Structures are given as structure tokens and as C-alpha cells.
Amino acid sequence: MTDCLFCRIVAGEIPATVVSDSDDVMAFRDINPKAPEHILVIPKAHFDTAAAMATVDPLLAGKVVAEAGAIAEKLGFAADGYRLMFNTGANGGQEVLHAHLHILGGRPLGPMLAT
């Protein structure tokens, strides 16, 4: 998809601070971090949402989640805890229509939702 921000990052058209890169999955730092560690893990194949990805390719969805855990370990914040979050659709806060998993960590994160 030529108009998808994350597809353009995967294609190397837009720079990103890449944390990991494999055949199927890429992870990079969020440009507007909400925590000291805020990394996005994406499938390189385009899926609008995490649900679409999991329906079409459950193995790939598992790779995305597994990579998030490996990144938290590699960067040294897994032991203290972290949050994994998929946003889906407008009400879920999804800003880029490409499935992506947020890894948030590096400090206590507080309640799950702001009221």
C-alpha cells in the first residue's frame, strides 16, 4: 500500500529508529513516545488491524507478540514489567491503519485507561 505510513517505513522510504527487523516483522521506536520505552512491532505484510492479521495469519500474529517479548528482554525492561497494546479502529485509538503492537515500559504505567 503506497499510502500506508508503516508500509513506507518497511520499504525504507521513511526513516525510523529500527529496534529489530526480520523477514516478517519489524519493530521501531514510536516518534511520539508515551513511556520511556515505546516501541511499535508491526507485520511487514499489510493488515489494517490486529484482528484481520490474526484471522488471515495467526502464526504471524504470534510472531508479532513473541517479538515484543524478545525486545523487552533485549532492552532490559522485561523484568520490571511492560504493557502490550493493540489499538483497533477509531474508538480504540488506532491512528495508523496498519496492525501494530505497542510495547510500553521503562516506568510504572498506572491504570490501563484514563477516565
Side-chain angles (χ1 to χ4, degrees):
M1 295 192 68
T2 58
D3 62 338
C4 173
L5 174 66
F6 291 169
C7 288
R8 293 183 68 202
I9 289 172
V10 168
E13 297 171 8
I14 296 175
T17 304
V18 176
V19 174
S20 72
D21 191 4
S22 70
D23 290 341
D24 301 320
V25 176
M26 177 183 271
F28 48 89
R29 295 198 175 272
D30 194 295
I31 61 168
N32 186 22
K34 307 297 185 207
E37 296 290 351
H38 188 170
I39 298 155
L40 304 177
V41 184
I42 67 167
K44 287 186 171 180
H46 182 89
F47 295 94
D48 285 351
T49 66
M53 173 181 56
T55 298
V56 173
D57 193 341
L59 181 60
L60 179 58
K63 288 179 181 180
V64 169
V65 174
E67 186 59 21
I71 289 167
E73 288 289 338
K74 178 175 99 172
L75 297 181
F77 61 90
D80 291 331
Y82 55 96
R83 184 172 293 158
L84 298 179
M85 184 171 59
F86 283 109
N87 296 329
T88 302
N91 282 354
Q94 186 176 8
E95 295 177 5
V96 176
L97 201 59
H98 184 118
H100 57 285
L101 178 60
H102 295 260
I103 310 170
L104 300 151
R107 68 167 170 80
L109 297 173
M112 181 115 69
L113 297 172
T115 55

